[in-house]
Amino acid sequence: MKKVALSILAVASLLGGCATSVSPNSYVRSSVMSEMNVELATVEAVRRVKIEAPQNGTGAGAGSALGAVAGSSLGSSPRDAVAGAIAGAVIGGVAGRLADRAANEREGVEIIYRLDNGQVKALIQGLEGSEDIKPGDRIRLIKGQYTVRAVKL
């Protein structure tokens, strides 16, 4: 039983480490004290989207391992342990994949905007901090080295 508890803890910390913020209000430490470019634009359209992390198999692999360990402790004979490990690996793999997807999926918005020079662009960012952006609003685009975020003026 101690093995199962340790496996659960390992899987939880592994999956928890995959989640990243997509909020326009969150910055990584390397952005602090870095100069960024700012442009102004007018919002043309906004729609909700789902932001999914790429599936790398971490959840399925960890779930399979956990399921195999848990399943192998079932039954009293070696044959039962093998059957339990196989069934546990399959069930754990499916559960791990679903947990990985749920942990990394975020609600977001797609913002179509027109820059003051007439150019039309699109940006996808997290819903948190973007809820109040509507068509017709003026926004500030804050551009870092690898990121762009829209903030309502």
Side-chain angles (χ1 to χ4, degrees):
M1 195 61 181
K2 194 173 189 178
K3 280 185 189 178
V4 174
L6 288 173
S7 298
I8 290 171
L9 182 62
V11 170
S13 56
L14 192 64
L15 292 178
C18 297
T20 58
S21 176
V22 293
S23 167
N25 298 327
S26 298
Y27 285 87
V28 294
R29 186 175 294 230
S30 61
S31 294
V32 176
M33 297 183 67
S34 295
E35 183 176 65
M36 297 179 198
N37 293 319
V38 177
E39 289 188 71
L40 301 179
T42 302
V43 176
E44 298 217 338
V46 178
R47 72 182 180 111
R48 286 192 176 211
V49 296
K50 283 191 179 176
I51 301 169
E52 297 177 354
Q55 297 294 312
N56 61 12
T58 303
S64 291
L66 175 62
V69 170
S72 68
S73 65
L74 301 175
S76 56
S77 73
R79 184 176 177 178
D80 290 344
V82 170
I86 291 169
V90 171
I91 294 168
V94 171
R97 183 175 178 275
L98 293 173
D100 191 19
R101 176 182 279 170
N104 289 299
E105 190 173 278
R106 303 279 187 268
E107 291 294 317
V109 291
E110 174 190 77
I111 303 168
I112 307 293
Y113 56 90
R114 183 176 301 275
L115 294 168
D116 289 348
N117 67 9
Q119 191 175 17
V120 177
K121 294 190 173 194
L123 171 68
I124 297 169
Q125 66 185 26
L127 180 62
E128 179 192 336
S130 306
E131 304 94 333
D132 59 340
I133 297 176
K134 308 279 185 267
D137 286 346
R138 292 288 286 166
I139 56 172
R140 182 180 303 122
L141 298 156
I142 303 167
K143 299 180 176 188
Q145 186 174 358
Y146 301 108
T147 60
V148 177
R149 62 189 77 229
V151 180
K152 189 173 176 178
L153 284 177

